[in-house]
């Protein structure tokens, strides 16, 4: 009985150390560099991520911003909440929470992003749209996206 307790204590310490190492190991990379390790371009997240957590064993991640971020890309508006969550694996983001796209008058939640060669497919569940990876090589800014030449970047985040 005592040996079984010792084994359970050792196992729980080992699990804790593995998860802790997996989370702290990420602090050496920016969230944008971490995205690239999973074959995603840096521009699928806006500028201004303050921190992130990533469990490399499960792929579960959380990205933090100072506030809500809204900007346009082509004919779409994107909204990133102050906390983005989901699961990441090579070329695939799933179970996303905190990212929406405005289609016509409706805000639809983006639930999945997958990479197929040089294309990214964004899914809102009932529909999806595909864009070239080349559209996301730069990191967009809140308010102006990729077209920020004449935009003041003083008030990038809002507290929506």
């Amino acid at each position: 009985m005592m040996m079984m307790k010792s084994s359970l204590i050792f196992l729980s310490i080992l699990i804790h150390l593995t998860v802790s190492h997996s989370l702290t190991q990420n602090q050496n990379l920016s969230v944008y560099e971490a995205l690239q390790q999973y074959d995603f371009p840096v521009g699928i997240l806006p500028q201004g991520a303050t921190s992130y957590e990533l469990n490399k064993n499960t792929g579960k991640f959380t990205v933090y911003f100072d506030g809500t971020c809204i900007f346009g890309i082509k004919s779409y508006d994107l909204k990133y909440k102050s906390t983005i969550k989901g699961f990441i694996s090579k070329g695939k983001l799933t179970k996303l929470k905190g990212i929406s796209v405005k289609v016509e008058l409706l805000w639809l939640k983006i639930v999945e992003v997958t990479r197929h060669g040089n294309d990214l497919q964004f899914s809102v569940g009932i529909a999806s749209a595909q864009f070239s990876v080349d559209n996301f090589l730069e990191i967009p800014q809140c308010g102006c996206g990729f077209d920020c030449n004449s935009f003041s970047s003083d008030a990038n985040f809002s507290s929506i």
Side-chain angles (χ1 to χ4, degrees), residues 35-110:
L35 279 171
Q36 291 176 313
Q37 288 188 334
Y38 289 93
D39 209 20
F40 282 102
V42 294
I44 63 170
L45 282 180
Q47 189 175 56
T50 57
S51 64
Y52 75 101
E53 298 167 3
L54 171 63
N55 183 319
K56 288 190 176 189
N57 295 326
T58 64
K60 185 177 181 179
F61 72 88
T62 305
V63 180
Y64 302 97
F65 295 93
D66 282 335
T68 298
C69 174
I70 300 175
F71 59 91
I73 297 179
K74 301 208 179 247
S75 61
Y76 298 98
D77 285 335
L78 292 172
K79 182 186 337 183
Y80 288 74
K81 291 186 176 180
S82 60
T83 303
I84 307 301
K85 294 182 178 192
F87 290 85
I88 191 168
S89 59
K90 195 74 159 176
K92 196 168 204 170
L93 293 163
T94 59
K95 298 183 181 178
L96 290 172
K97 294 182 180 177
I99 306 172
S100 302
V101 60
K102 189 174 185 180
V103 179
E104 307 259 339
L105 299 174
L106 299 173
W107 284 100
L108 303 173
K109 295 177 182 178
I110 295 176

Side-chain angles (χ1 to χ4, degrees), residues 2 5 14 22 24 33 37-38 41-42 53 64 69 74 87 97 108-109 113 115 129 133 137 143 151 154-155:
M2 183 67 154
K5 259 187 178 176
L14 184 62
S22 177
T24 56
E33 292 168 326
Q37 288 188 334
Y38 289 93
V42 294
E53 298 167 3
Y64 302 97
C69 174
K74 301 208 179 247
F87 290 85
K97 294 182 180 177
L108 303 173
K109 295 177 182 178
V113 180
R115 181 168 182 166
V133 169
L137 297 179
F151 184 81
D154 293 339

